[in-house]
Every structure is written in C-alpha cells, then in structure tokens.
Amino acid sequence: MPGPDTDHVSTRRRRPLTVRTRILATVLVLSTLALAAAGGTAWGLQRIRVDGDIDEALDRTITELRTLAETGVDPDTGRAFRDSDRLLYTMMSREVPATNEGMIAFIRDNVRYQTQDIGVPLALDPELVHAVSDAWQLDRVVIDTLRTSQREYRYAAVPVQVGDSAPGAMLLAFDRDAQQAEVGATFRTYGLVAAGSLLVLAVVAWVLSGRLLRPLRTLRETAEQISVTDLSRRIPVDGTDDLSELARTFNDMLGRLETAFGSQRQLLDDAGHELRTPITIVRGHLELMDPTDEQDATETRALALRELDRMHRLADDLVLLARSEAPDFVRTEPTDVGTLLDNVLDQARQLGNRRWRVTTRAEAVVDVDPERVTQALLQLAANAVKFSDDGSTIRLGSRLEDDCLTLWVEDEGIGIPPEQQDRVFERFAQVTGPQRRPAGGSGLGLSIVAAIAANHGGRVVVASAPGKGSRFTLVLPAPGAQPALIPDDEIVVDPDEVAAEGAGQDGTR
C-alpha cells in the first residue's frame, strides 16, 4: 500500500504545466496547424495547377494533330494526306517532346513510331503499351491517368484514320510523377522553412510570455512571502496592460489587508493595555473588601460599576476606531451645514454649564456624513467642557473658503502646551503638566475625531496656548460649494444669559 511519501511524489509528478508552458504549447500548436493548413492547401492547389498545365499541353498537341490532318499536306507529295501512317510520321517528326513528355504512334496494335533519346521512352514501358494498344479502336480522344510499375502517366490517346488506310493512334503522355516532383521539392523546402519558423517562434514566444507573465511570477513570489506578521511586500508595477492592472489591484488588496490586520492588532493591543487597569482596580478592591462591612461593600460596588462603565465606553471607542478603517465608515450625502451646526449646538448645550455661542455660520449644502461630523463636533465640545471652567464661553462656527468647509470648537480652558499639541490625536494620549486635570476619559476621543476627518479626505488642526484655551478645527473638502456667509452677533443660548438679556433672544441666529 503506498504511503504518504509515495502520494507526495505522485502529486509532484502530476503537477500541471505552468501557464508559460501552456501558452507556448498553444502558440506552437496553433501555428503548426495554420502552417500545415496553408501549406497543404497550397500544395494541393499547386498539384492541380500542374495537372492543368499537363492537360493544356495535351490539348494543344491534339489540336495541332487535328489541324495537320485537316489542312496539312504531305511533305513528300505536296498534297493532302491519304494515309494514316504518313500523317502519324509527319506529326511525330514535327513535334519535339518536352523533358517529361513522350510520344508513340500505333498502326493498329503495333508500335509504329516512337521518340528517340528525347523525353520519356514510352515504348520501354510494356504495361503502358499494352494498356493503350487498342486506342486505334476508340471513337474519341481519351485523356486519362495511368500508373504502372515504372511511373504514373497523364496521357492522351488520339485515334487516327485517313481514308481507307489502316487505322492508327497517337499516344501523348507526361511523366506525372516527374512533373509533380518540383511541387514536392518546393513544399519540402516549405516544410523546412516552416520548421525553422516554428523554432524561432517558440524562442520568441517563450521570451515574450516570460516578460508578460513576470508580474504573475512576482505576484506568486510575493504571495509566498506574505505572512500574518508581514504584509508590507508589494509588486513593482511599471506597465499599463492588463497584467499591470492586476498587479496594482493585488497591491491595493495587500494594502487593505495590511490596514485591516494593523487595525486588528492595534485594537487587541489597545484593549489589552487599557482594559488591564480597570480590571486590576476592580480585582484589588474586591480582594480587600470586607463583606461584613456594609459601607465598604457599597463603596466597592460603586467603584466596580464606575470601572465597568469606563470599560464599556472604552470598548465602544475601540470598536469605533477599528471601524474607521473600513471603506464605508463615512457615507457622504448633501448636507445643510447651517442646520447641522444648529443641531450640534442644541445637543452640546446638555454637556455642561457653559456660555454656548455661534460666531460664524456657513449657509451651504456640502457633501459630508452628517452623523459622523456631528459626532466629531460633539466630541470636541465634550473635550471643551472637560477642560474649561463653569460659566466660561465655548464658541462654535463654520465657514466655507478655498473649496473647504471648516468647522471649529473654541474654549477658554487650560490649553495645551506647544510640545504636546502634535500628539493629542494619538490613541490614549493625555495632556501632562502642572495644569493637567483628571480627564476620566479613554484618551480616544480626539483619535476618533481625526479618523472622521481623514475619512472625509480632510484633517483636524489645533491652535492652543496654556491658560488661554484651545481651538480645534475640522477642515473638510467641499469642492464647488458656494458660501453664503451670514455673520451674526455672538448668539447666546445659555438659559441664564437668555433670561438676563430678555425673553425671545434664545436661539436667535
């Protein structure tokens, strides 16, 4: 019974031919068939032409014999022929056979005249002589083909009788094999040339197919070198044909896979890093909790619930960041920017006791994802509340300029040191320093904002100074949008300010 090694060897032996080999075989088979068909057709047509030339020569000689019989004169008497023998003799003496042609004259069944030292010696082929010896009995000219042990003939048998003289016949014949030999020689040469052409074609096809299939080989080699931990390999592409497009598509696929695996690893790393802290806190307090102490149990329960809520928010933020790598994370649609800012303002008012104001509002319709942009602005508003004092002012605004839509949130909070502004959009980044406040967040909010902006093809920028507040601005592409700016006085929507300034001012924009 064959074992695994035998099966492996047989599998390797049954390995299918490579694409390059199959292309070469296909080209050679089709070219061989084409050359054979063309050569065979030409060979057949050429043989037919040679037979036609033979028949034409036979017809011409027959015509000459008839003309001589009807209008010719006997050279000896100067009168019309009165004897079949004299007519055949005169015709034989006047006609010079071609190289592969021969002539015989019969009187009844006997050979009377034959060509000497010129053309084909027909009289020396007894099979031919026997086959046509009764031609004098025919009532018409016969043109036919006859094969003997010596050669194949294409002949014409012409019965001759002048007056009451003894009847006779003239046999005109061509050596058909000899006549067709030139055709055979020509097409043997054609065969050699065709074989040489196929050899050259094989070499050229092998080289060209190798060049054409090089992207596929590179693709295979790249695919063999790809692993879960290394998706950075790419196929070099320098053409514009279909295979080059395939290589580009494969590179794009590798890029998407690398991004997806990177997001997955980042998600796992982030989750493992950030979830470890609340789990450790809960575990530590549970281990130290006195079950008999009601106050201690109540405090530990409250702490555990807070940490669980924190883990829940962290998980939601991590999942959202992972989804931000998907191509359908942002779904743009024509959106009224003014209405969107109003909705953000209405929701932001619930985040904290601040003076909420709109400084400038763009009235235009822009292709954005209203849900994601609202989410980003509310995250910025929540950060502004977190890092500012009660009663301080938070300003929102929007503007269209240079084919871009800018939306911003500005606070009067603690600000961000210049050396830390470049890293605030990194995952789990927290502001450090003497003015730092306990944030209580996951450190993913600004990362989510940056992801939303990037998926729109835009960016988010920060301008901040310690002790003076920060301004975060979303810059989103808005090609072709026409701005219709409506500058308003600072609009107060804080309820206490509304009461102080008079009823009816709330929500005026």
Side-chain angles (χ1 to χ4, degrees):
M1 180 176 180
D5 293 339
T6 305
D7 293 341
H8 179 65
V9 171
S10 63
T11 300
R12 287 190 301 172
R13 288 177 179 174
R14 290 194 302 268
R15 182 179 180 183
L17 297 176
T18 63
V19 174
R20 188 179 186 184
T21 303
R22 281 182 283 175
I23 290 176
L24 178 62
T26 301
V27 170
L28 289 180
V29 168
L30 292 178
S31 299
T32 301
L33 292 176
L35 289 173
T41 301
W43 177 80
L45 293 175
Q46 191 67 12
R47 286 179 64 87
I48 293 174
R49 187 190 67 79
V50 170
D51 285 342
D53 291 344
I54 293 175
D55 290 349
E56 183 179 349
L58 293 175
D59 288 337
R60 187 169 55 250
T61 304
I62 293 170
T63 301
E64 291 175 358
L65 179 58
R66 286 175 177 171
T67 301
L68 181 62
E70 293 174 359
T71 63
V73 295
D74 187 337
D76 291 343
T77 64
R79 298 179 181 179
F81 290 100
R82 295 183 178 182
D83 185 79
S84 300
D85 185 280
R86 289 296 300 170
L87 176 61
L88 291 173
Y89 175 81
T90 303
M91 184 64 189
M92 292 283 291
S93 62
R94 290 185 177 183
E95 191 70 22
V96 179
T99 303
N100 298 316
E101 182 184 13
M103 301 174 64
I104 298 178
F106 291 87
I107 296 296
R108 295 188 183 276
D109 296 336
N110 300 316
V111 176
R112 178 64 171 168
Y113 304 109
Q114 59 181 307
T115 55
Q116 299 291 334
D117 302 329
I118 299 177
V120 180
L122 303 182
L124 299 181
D125 190 337
E127 296 178 47
L128 173 65
V129 172
H130 176 73
V132 299
S133 61
D134 59 351
W136 61 275
Q137 299 178 2
L138 299 173
D139 58 357
R140 60 183 178 83
V141 176
V142 173
I143 297 179
D144 202 355
T145 301
L146 174 67
R147 174 168 288 282
T148 69
S149 59
Q150 294 187 16
R151 58 181 64 87
E152 183 178 31
Y153 299 97
R154 181 70 174 170
Y155 71 91
V158 185
V160 176
Q161 185 170 13
V162 178
D164 297 329
S165 62
M170 175 172 283
L171 177 67
L172 312 171
F174 280 87
D175 184 346
R176 188 167 182 264
D177 290 336
Q179 290 289 101
Q180 297 287 1
E182 294 183 8
V183 177
T186 299
F187 281 90
R188 280 192 294 273
T189 303
Y190 171 84
L192 294 175
V193 172
S197 299
L198 287 175
L199 181 60
V200 174
L201 179 63
V203 174
V204 173
W206 182 260
V207 173
L208 289 181
S209 61
R211 292 183 179 179
L212 291 174
L213 295 175
R214 185 179 303 157
L216 288 182
R217 291 198 303 274
T218 307
L219 187 150
R220 176 180 58 80
E221 294 168 356
T222 302
E224 290 175 348
Q225 296 174 8
I226 290 173
S227 65
V228 176
T229 57
D230 183 16
L231 294 170
S232 60
R233 292 294 305 274
R234 294 294 184 271
I235 301 173
V237 182
D238 55 4
T240 58
D241 56 9
D242 293 340
L243 290 178
S244 299
E245 289 301 321
L246 174 63
R248 290 189 181 91
T249 303
F250 187 77
N251 285 340
D252 293 341
M253 181 191 70
L254 287 180
R256 292 192 294 270
L257 287 175
E258 185 177 19
T259 300
F261 278 103
S263 299
Q264 184 184 54
R265 286 193 295 268
Q266 182 72 45
L267 175 62
L268 294 176
D269 292 344
D270 292 344
H273 178 268
E274 292 300 319
L275 293 177
R276 189 178 295 115
T277 300
I279 290 174
T280 302
I281 293 173
V282 172
R283 181 183 180 87
H285 280 78
L286 288 175
E287 289 175 346
L288 298 175
M289 182 187 72
D290 183 1
T292 61
D293 187 338
E294 182 178 353
Q295 180 179 358
D296 189 17
T298 300
E299 292 176 353
T300 302
R301 175 180 178 276
L303 181 141
L305 290 175
R306 288 196 304 272
E307 293 300 325
L308 288 174
D309 287 341
R310 178 185 171 191
M311 284 191 288
H312 185 271
R313 292 192 300 272
L314 177 62
D316 287 344
D317 289 345
L318 286 173
V319 170
L320 182 61
L321 275 176
R323 287 185 56 205
S324 69
E325 303 292 345
D328 60 346
F329 177 68
V330 166
R331 299 180 179 178
T332 62
E333 60 184 61
T335 303
D336 188 323
V337 178
T339 302
L340 182 144
L341 193 61
D342 290 345
N343 293 336
V344 171
L345 190 58
D346 291 339
Q347 297 178 62
R349 289 167 51 187
Q350 311 303 320
L351 297 176
N353 181 25
R354 303 292 187 273
R355 292 162 52 89
W356 296 93
R357 300 169 181 252
V358 173
T359 56
T360 304
R361 184 175 68 177
E363 294 290 346
V365 175
V366 178
D367 282 334
V368 295
D369 186 330
E371 180 180 347
R372 295 301 182 194
V373 173
T374 298
Q375 182 180 11
L377 291 175
L378 288 177
Q379 180 64 56
L380 294 176
N383 276 16
V385 170
K386 190 182 301 181
F387 295 102
S388 63
D389 296 324
D390 287 349
S392 62
T393 300
I394 297 179
R395 299 175 176 84
L396 286 76
S398 61
R399 178 182 293 112
L400 273 172
E401 56 184 358
D402 299 330
D403 285 336
C404 287
L405 170 65
T406 58
L407 305 107
W408 63 86
V409 176
E410 184 178 359
D411 63 58
E412 297 175 346
I414 62 174
I416 304 172
E419 66 276 8
Q420 299 188 39
Q421 292 180 15
D422 291 337
R423 58 180 295 271
V424 293
F425 298 105
E426 298 176 1
R427 297 186 180 192
F428 305 109
Q430 299 281 358
V431 176
T432 59
Q435 292 182 309
R436 176 184 179 275
R437 296 184 182 183
S442 64
L444 296 175
L446 291 179
S447 297
I448 293 173
V449 173
I452 292 173
N455 276 273
H456 278 84
R459 66 188 189 280
V460 57
V461 295
V462 58
S464 181
K468 296 183 179 180
S470 304
R471 174 170 172 156
F472 287 86
T473 303
L474 285 172
V475 183
L476 307 179
Q482 298 297 323
L485 297 179
I486 302 179
D488 297 327
D489 294 334
E490 291 185 334
I491 301 172
V492 180
V493 294
D494 181 85
D496 294 334
E497 180 118 356
V498 170
E501 293 187 0
Q505 297 297 322
D506 185 15
T508 303
R509 294 167 171 77

